[in-house]
Amino acid sequence: MLFRSKIKWIALFVLVLSLASLLLHLSIAKSSSASLVYNTQMASLLNSSIIGGQGYRSKKLWGAVKPFASLQPYTNSRSSYRAPSEQSNGFIYAKIFGGFANIRSSICDLVAISRLLNATLVLPEIQESSRAKGISGRFKSFSYLYDEEQFISYLKNDVLVVKSLPDNLKASRKRNEFPIFKPKSSAFSSYYLQKVLPSLKNAKVIGLILNDGGCLQSVLPSGMSELQRLRCRVGFHALNFRPEVQMLGKKIVQRLRAWGQPFLAFHPGLVRDTLAYHGCAELFQDVHTELIQYRRAQMIKKGIIREELSVDSRKRRDNGTCPLMPEEVGVLLRAMGYPTKTIIYVAGSELFGGQRMLIPLRAMFNNVVDRTSFCSKEELDSLFGPETTLPLDLYQPPPSKSKQQLKDEWNKAGPRPRPLPPPPDRPIYRHEKEGWYGWITETDKEPDPSPMDMRLQAHRLLLDALDYMVCLEADAFFPGFNNDGSSWPDFSSLVMGQRLYESSSSRTYRPDRKYLANLLNSSRENLYHPMHNWTLLVQEHLNKSLGEEGLVKQAIFSKPTSFLSHPLPECFCRISSVETPDHLVKENGKTVYGDEEKCPDWMSEGRKIESLDLAEEGDNKGDEDMESSEQAESYYNSGKSYLDNLIDQDEEMDPND
């Protein structure tokens, strides 16, 4: 008994000792974690102070483009411009298909056509945000994205705009009694004057269906400059997002500015339709290649593309018709001298390939952010409005196939067979069949979009609107894919056009993808450790793209397909007292730069002072920074690559080391 009692006491003592040891370790871990949090916060504060004080606002990276400081937006009518007559020729209603860029460009063309035909415009119906897409009942199609009242009131001196057809005409429209036209984006003004106008006068109502991102040629005859300026007034003034979108967009910009340093906006341009159109499938892997090829086959079947299904994507990339990958953009920005702590805002509601495409960019830059970094889920949900609950998309497995059917399919497969099904003993998880790409392993036909898919398409319009506002306010903008050669407007080109209009001297890169593809190919094996001459070539090209050379190329390649991407010179004037170009740049007999008219005196007085202050500010900013060419030269003499020394600089500035 005595022995058993001693054992009990020993066991109790060991238990108490273990409990005390556990409590001691927990207290140590708690104090260590508190110290770690404190040190992290202090490091963050130190980094912020370092960022603000040691050249992160270098004029070489963030300064204004001085040669464009004299360009000023000026869309006022130049000649006798009459207000719209109350006795119009009739009503024009329109259905607009497509994404954010197509919608914005199409609305501008619609207003110009209504002015040309002296017609009353009914608010366009945006098909991506119709009630059938499952949007909130608070909105109609146009008001889901834009401010109706602002649009109507701003254009009252240009075009009569009404919210809907008169009641006595609605029934006739439902019975399809009015003529309907499907114009192309390159339709000439003569098409409307000769074919559409007679029908409008006879029927008093016509309908337009727009699929191509526009309905009027981009470059109009010189006698129609007033219509071009009307396009600018619509795109840059009348088309305001609804107040809730504007408020949240401004909050995102304010939260970005609260970091105390400039930021660069980057739009990758990786959109499935665009990639399929240009044959860039082989730049991706696995299922993404199959998805692009499927969409390309659809385009060939519809006659949108008149090429072979399989093309050499590498050659397309070398020709500049494929986008710059985020990894390549990161290397180019590092070669320009942007430090690793630079804030890069990734814009765009669609990033084909998913977040894994941004992994190399995040490895090069610590502060790669997007709208989700500054918006809570509640803020975004309030933007969408109250929405009804959609029925669940219950998964229905496809009918099982016999062994003979599977064998026949395998024998008929081409040089790139479908992936083998999983082994019988492996469980088939539900998420593997319900993913947005799961159908590619089961069938050759993409399923119809579900109600939730259609609702998400409408949500993307609002997400693109938020990113559009942030890109306009960014200190610098870099497009991953613009001027793609198709007839569709693209997000990046619209941003570049409005940045040119609102602030011509802002830093907007206009890279030549073909030239950069050759540069990247020449250093593909040492992409992260390029030589001295390579970095100098990148810097020279990107700096030129900011100035006159990039602007001229934009006029040549972008303006013929989208006027809003390059509204120069129709929507501009120049202050002669500030630095002006001493030569004219012409292309095909037309002056594309340097022939802007002089700003009126009432405008020059105020703008002159602002431009001079801007130039003086640009001279003062970054005077203590070392010139990038001198940096590269000293690094070359030391036997290191330029990027290696940039990394060394960042490590020296890290207070934790």
Side-chain angles (χ1 to χ4, degrees):
M1 294 293 296
L2 181 63
F3 179 74
R4 290 182 179 179
S5 178
K6 288 183 179 180
I7 291 178
K8 290 181 179 179
W9 283 106
I10 292 173
L12 180 62
F13 175 76
V14 172
L15 183 62
V16 171
L17 186 63
S18 300
L19 181 62
S21 175
L22 179 62
L23 293 175
L24 178 63
H25 281 81
L26 287 175
S27 63
I28 294 175
K30 183 177 181 180
S31 62
S32 300
S33 62
S35 176
L36 178 62
V37 171
Y38 173 77
N39 291 334
T40 303
Q41 292 175 345
M42 291 301 296
S44 177
L45 291 174
L46 287 172
N47 285 340
S48 298
S49 63
I50 291 172
I51 287 172
Q54 294 196 14
Y56 277 73
R57 188 81 197 189
S58 168
K59 68 177 182 180
K60 290 293 183 181
L61 301 178
W62 306 106
V65 184
K66 293 182 183 179
F68 298 155
S70 59
L71 285 175
Q72 302 298 330
Y74 184 44
T75 60
N76 293 2
S77 58
R78 308 293 200 265
S79 58
S80 56
Y81 189 79
R82 298 179 180 179
S85 173
E86 295 184 1
Q87 299 296 328
S88 66
N89 291 325
F91 295 90
I92 294 179
Y93 70 89
K95 293 183 178 181
I96 301 176
F97 294 85
F100 178 86
N102 285 17
I103 293 168
R104 197 169 183 87
S105 180
S106 296
I107 293 175
C108 295
D109 288 357
L110 275 174
V111 175
I113 290 169
S114 300
R115 175 74 189 189
L116 177 66
L117 302 181
N118 187 26
T120 299
L121 176 64
V122 181
L123 280 179
E125 300 172 7
I126 301 174
Q127 298 304 298
E128 288 293 320
S129 59
S130 62
R131 292 286 176 84
K133 300 292 185 180
I135 66 171
S136 173
R138 286 171 47 192
F139 311 104
K140 293 183 180 179
S141 64
F142 189 88
S143 62
Y144 186 72
L145 184 59
Y146 294 112
D147 188 340
E148 287 184 352
E149 301 302 329
Q150 161 70 11
F151 184 77
I152 295 173
S153 62
Y154 191 90
L155 296 175
K156 63 183 179 182
N157 295 324
D158 298 298
V159 174
L160 292 177
V161 183
V162 295
K163 293 185 178 181
S164 63
L165 285 172
D167 294 336
N168 61 331
L169 297 175
K170 290 181 179 179
S172 299
R173 180 191 169 182
K174 289 182 179 179
R175 294 193 297 267
N176 295 323
E177 294 180 0
F178 301 126
I180 297 177
F181 298 88
K182 298 180 180 180
K184 296 183 178 180
S185 59
S186 58
F188 292 95
S189 57
S190 58
Y191 168 81
Y192 293 96
L193 294 174
Q194 297 174 7
K195 293 186 178 182
V196 179
L197 183 57
S199 298
L200 177 63
K201 289 182 177 180
N202 292 333
K204 295 302 179 183
V205 179
I206 63 165
L208 298 179
I209 296 179
L210 310 183
N211 295 303
D212 298 335
C215 53
L216 183 64
Q217 65 180 132
S218 177
V219 180
L220 296 176
S222 57
M224 294 186 175
S225 297
E226 290 298 338
L227 286 182
Q228 300 289 58
R229 283 186 277 273
L230 177 57
R231 275 172 159 173
C232 290
R233 290 197 291 274
V234 177
F236 306 142
H237 297 283
L239 275 180
N240 286 353
F241 302 118
R242 59 181 167 93
E244 298 88 348
V245 178
Q246 292 192 56
M247 187 179 300
L248 186 55
K250 291 177 181 178
K251 283 184 179 180
I252 296 176
V253 175
Q254 290 173 357
R255 292 165 184 172
L256 276 164
R257 297 292 184 200
W259 286 24
Q261 59 171 312
F263 70 95
L264 180 143
F266 164 56
H267 185 261
L270 299 178
V271 181
R272 184 182 173 193
D273 286 345
T274 308
L275 294 169
Y277 182 87
H278 294 288
C280 305
E282 297 298 334
L283 300 182
F284 295 82
Q285 297 177 354
D286 305 328
V287 69
H288 296 94
T289 298
E290 297 285 344
L291 290 167
I292 294 175
Q293 288 294 84
Y294 177 84
R295 183 58 57 85
R296 183 173 173 85
Q298 286 182 316
M299 291 181 174
I300 293 174
K301 186 176 181 180
K302 294 179 181 179
I304 300 174
I305 303 176
R306 304 184 185 278
E307 297 178 341
E308 296 292 332
L309 175 62
S310 299
V311 294
D312 191 340
S313 299
R314 309 295 173 180
K315 290 184 179 179
R316 295 294 178 98
R317 182 186 62 186
D318 294 344
N319 291 333
T321 54
C322 285
L324 293 170
M325 290 298 176
E327 178 185 13
E328 298 171 336
V329 172
V331 171
L332 296 173
L333 293 178
R334 291 294 286 146
M336 277 294 293
Y338 285 96
T340 58
K341 294 181 176 64
T342 301
I343 300 175
I344 298 180
Y345 184 92
V346 180
S349 62
E350 179 181 352
L351 178 63
F352 189 79
Q355 289 295 316
R356 72 174 186 175
M357 302 299 298
L358 298 178
I359 292 176
L361 183 65
R362 295 183 187 277
M364 285 181 273
F365 293 93
N366 302 331
N367 297 322
V368 177
V369 297
D370 56 21
R371 78 187 76 83
T372 60
S373 307
F374 302 96
C375 289
S376 64
K377 186 178 183 300
E378 291 74 18
E379 287 177 317
L380 290 176
D381 289 342
S382 65
L383 194 67
F384 303 143
E387 297 174 332
T388 58
T389 303
L390 295 176
L392 294 176
D393 297 330
L394 298 178
Y395 168 66
Q396 296 181 354
S400 58
K401 300 178 181 179
S402 64
K403 291 184 178 180
Q404 185 61 36
Q405 287 177 325
L406 294 174
K407 185 177 180 180
D408 293 341
E409 289 182 1
W410 178 263
N411 292 332
K412 293 178 181 179
R416 299 186 61 219
R418 300 288 184 184
L420 287 173
D425 57 340
R426 176 183 179 277
I428 301 177
Y429 299 103
R430 180 171 177 176
H431 72 271
E432 294 180 296
K433 300 296 182 181
E434 289 186 332
W436 62 275
Y437 55 82
W439 61 271
I440 200 74
T441 61
E442 295 287 344
T443 178
D444 291 330
K445 183 179 180 181
E446 186 171 3
D448 295 330
S450 65
M452 181 57 70
D453 292 334
M454 292 190 290
R455 176 177 287 180
L456 293 177
Q457 289 175 3
H459 288 179
R460 290 193 187 101
L461 297 180
L462 298 178
L463 301 181
D464 277 330
L466 293 175
D467 290 343
Y468 191 82
M469 294 182 64
V470 176
C471 290
L472 294 181
E473 296 294 330
D475 298 275
F477 178 74
F478 196 102
F481 202 33
N482 70 299
N483 298 343
D484 57 4
S486 68
S487 59
W488 307 324
D490 60 87
F491 184 95
S492 292
S493 293
L494 293 183
V495 169
M496 296 163 74
Q498 189 155 350
R499 283 175 64 89
L500 175 65
Y501 176 81
E502 293 184 352
S503 179
S504 302
S505 58
S506 60
R507 295 185 73 85
T508 303
Y509 291 96
R510 304 173 182 89
D512 183 343
R513 291 191 303 277
K514 182 177 181 180
Y515 178 82
L516 290 178
N518 292 331
L519 276 182
L520 291 166
N521 288 338
S522 66
S523 185
R524 188 70 63 180
E525 295 181 357
N526 298 302
L527 197 60
Y528 289 90
H529 302 281
M531 297 304 295
H532 163 72
N533 291 338
W534 190 89
T535 59
L536 290 182
L537 290 174
V538 171
Q539 292 173 15
E540 180 184 11
H541 172 73
L542 292 181
N543 284 328
K544 285 183 177 180
S545 74
L546 292 168
E548 179 183 310
E549 182 175 314
L551 198 64
V552 171
K553 287 185 177 180
Q554 185 82 356
I556 297 172
F557 296 108
S558 183
K559 188 172 182 177
T561 57
S562 174
F563 173 76
L564 292 181
S565 67
H566 189 82
L568 187 73
E570 291 88 348
C571 300
F572 287 83
C573 64
R574 189 180 290 275
I575 300 176
S576 58
S577 59
V578 187
E579 180 181 355
T580 57
D582 55 357
H583 63 283
L584 302 179
V585 180
K586 295 187 177 182
E587 180 69 21
N588 296 329
K590 295 183 178 180
T591 303
V592 296
Y593 179 72
D595 193 26
E596 299 77 22
E597 60 182 280
K598 181 181 177 182
C599 291
D601 295 337
W602 62 267
M603 193 176 186
S604 301
E605 293 299 327
R607 297 292 186 179
K608 184 193 307 181
I609 299 175
E610 293 179 7
S611 299
L612 291 175
D613 290 343
L614 181 63
E616 183 178 354
E617 182 182 357
D619 290 334
N620 293 333
K621 281 182 181 178
D623 286 341
E624 298 178 359
D625 297 333
M626 184 183 298
E627 299 292 337
S628 60
S629 59
E630 295 177 359
Q631 284 182 329
E633 185 67 28
S634 62
Y635 297 152
Y636 178 71
N637 293 334
S638 65
K640 283 186 173 183
S641 70
Y642 189 40
L643 293 183
D644 289 337
N645 285 273
L646 288 174
I647 296 172
D648 293 343
Q649 283 185 354
D650 293 334
E651 291 177 350
E652 291 173 1
M653 294 167 61
D654 193 343
N656 294 324
D657 293 342

